[in-house]
Amino acid sequence: MSEVIKNRYDFVVLFDVENGNPNGDPDNGNAPRVDLDTGHGIVTDVCLKRKIRNYVETVKEEEEGYQIYIKEGIPLNTSDAKAFAELSIDEKKIPAMKKEDPTLDKKIRDFMCSRFFDIRTFGAVMTTFVKANLNCGQVRGPVQLGFARSVDPIVPQSLTITRVAITTEKDAEKKKTEMGRKEIVPYGLYRVEGFVSANLARKVTGFTEADLELLWEAIINMFEHDHSAARGKMAVRDLIIFKHDSELGNAPSYKLFDSVAVEKKNAETQARCYGDYEVRIYEEKIPEGVTCIRKS
């Protein structure tokens, strides 16, 4: 059985999109998310976690210990109920059971963490347990992601499209085509930064070395089984990992992130592919006790 991780990690992910919408905003006609002040593109952490969950679900196929808690079509309380069933807990008798067994909260938390990969990784809010006055309803996961932000401002485009398939018979009597719109980013390179806490892994979820390797694999491949016409061509281009020699870390995250620079080769032209950028890691900025690992 794989051991719980003992080292802290910080990481940088570079991914790009070509002629697609990496993360539409439903409050803005599903247009690509943009920082209105700077014009930089944004992809939310929730969107990226969804891709990671989907990859793990695809490759593990409900394997023991790798089920996904937050998934389409499965109410959360259905998954919560599995803990009560497996641990023979009567929801109506929880106060009395907690008096008899002070470790009941920990047993429920450990059960959920051991069964669901995404709880063990990202944590979760399990409302069923919160409402039952259990202290295990909110689990803080060791892996956290920020918002992804494009390296340069993006120029979203709204394209008019036509289709010959008419929605209704009544409309078909009046017209032969229908109009629609497609929101795209012609090209954008995005950067997201993340964190892995060995301290939370040890104290809370039991996130293991095997889980960590699966996480790196999922990040690198998170768009490979998620292609669609709406998202265009998306790919992870680089994964830069900073491994600390200790559980609590040997340097502040920002110093490590500052050592990674992404710049256009020609500042006068609009980037249209990954080759238009240069990625540099300034190793002299990386403090002692931290190792840089690059995966792609």
Side-chain angles (χ1 to χ4, degrees):
M1 188 164 177
S2 182
E3 292 185 350
V4 174
I5 62 170
K6 295 180 172 63
N7 304 84
R8 184 184 125 189
Y9 295 83
D10 299 294
F11 60 93
V12 177
V13 183
L14 298 174
F15 65 90
D16 61 0
V17 58
E18 182 180 329
N19 295 326
N21 185 351
N23 187 201
D25 184 352
D27 289 329
N28 190 26
N30 208 44
R33 297 179 189 270
V34 177
D35 182 329
L36 298 180
D37 287 333
T38 66
H40 287 81
I42 293 172
V43 174
T44 66
D45 61 322
V46 174
C47 175
L48 297 175
K49 288 177 182 178
R50 178 76 271 148
K51 311 300 182 193
I52 293 170
R53 286 184 172 101
N54 288 349
Y55 178 83
V56 172
E57 186 176 16
T58 298
V59 298
K60 289 298 185 179
E61 295 187 344
E62 296 293 317
E63 183 180 322
E64 183 72 25
Y66 292 94
Q67 295 181 38
I68 298 300
Y69 181 67
I70 299 178
K71 61 188 295 184
E72 185 178 357
I74 306 295
L76 298 181
N77 61 3
T78 300
S79 298
D80 295 340
K82 292 179 181 178
F84 288 154
E86 289 284 341
L87 299 173
S88 301
I89 295 173
D90 185 341
E91 191 171 351
K92 297 178 181 178
K93 299 180 180 179
I94 285 177
M97 295 183 72
K98 287 184 69 172
K99 288 183 179 180
E100 294 179 6
D101 183 3
T103 66
L104 186 64
D105 292 290
K106 184 178 183 300
K107 287 179 179 177
I108 296 172
R109 184 199 70 191
D110 290 350
F111 172 84
M112 297 298 285
C113 288
S114 65
R115 172 160 294 198
F116 297 100
F117 173 82
D118 53 339
I119 296 179
R120 200 160 61 246
T121 305
F122 303 124
V125 176
M126 295 171 281
T127 310
T128 302
F129 305 147
V130 174
K131 290 182 177 178
N133 293 318
L134 289 161
N135 294 325
C136 57
Q138 296 186 21
V139 175
R140 186 179 172 195
V143 180
Q144 299 300 327
L145 293 169
F147 276 24
R149 188 178 183 86
S150 64
V151 174
D152 291 306
I154 60 171
V155 184
Q157 296 182 14
S158 183
L159 307 179
T160 302
I161 58 175
T162 60
R163 67 178 186 180
V164 296
I166 308 303
T167 304
T168 67
E169 293 181 2
K170 185 176 181 180
D171 288 341
E173 295 173 359
K174 302 175 184 178
K175 54 187 177 180
K176 293 185 178 180
T177 61
E178 285 188 339
M179 309 296 286
R181 305 204 69 78
K182 194 166 188 177
E183 309 289 339
I184 69 163
V185 175
Y187 183 79
L189 177 63
Y190 290 75
R191 169 176 173 154
V192 62
E193 294 159 353
F195 317 86
V196 183
S197 169
N199 187 254
L200 285 175
R202 175 175 60 84
K203 290 182 177 180
V204 183
T205 72
F207 185 77
T208 68
E209 293 289 346
D211 293 331
L212 183 67
E213 287 307 310
L214 180 58
L215 174 68
W216 301 145
E217 178 186 328
I219 289 174
I220 292 170
N221 296 287
M222 62 181 169
F223 301 118
E224 292 305 306
H225 303 286
D226 191 59
H227 295 297
S228 73
R231 281 183 282 279
K233 182 180 175 183
M234 295 188 69
V236 171
R237 295 292 188 162
D238 214 341
L239 169 59
I240 301 163
I241 303 164
F242 297 100
K243 179 180 180 180
H244 297 253
D245 287 350
S246 63
E247 180 183 280
L248 297 179
N250 299 74
S253 300
Y254 78 88
K255 288 188 176 181
L256 303 176
F257 297 149
D258 285 349
S259 71
V260 180
V262 185
E263 299 172 346
K264 279 196 298 187
K265 293 178 180 177
N266 186 343
E268 304 300 320
T269 61
Q270 187 73 30
R272 281 294 179 266
C273 68
Y274 186 63
D276 290 337
Y277 287 93
E278 184 174 8
V279 181
R280 295 180 181 178
I281 300 176
Y282 295 96
E283 295 187 2
E284 65 274 12
K285 292 185 178 182
I286 301 175
E288 189 176 346
V290 178
T291 304
C292 182
I293 305 166
R294 207 162 178 177
K295 295 176 179 282
S296 60

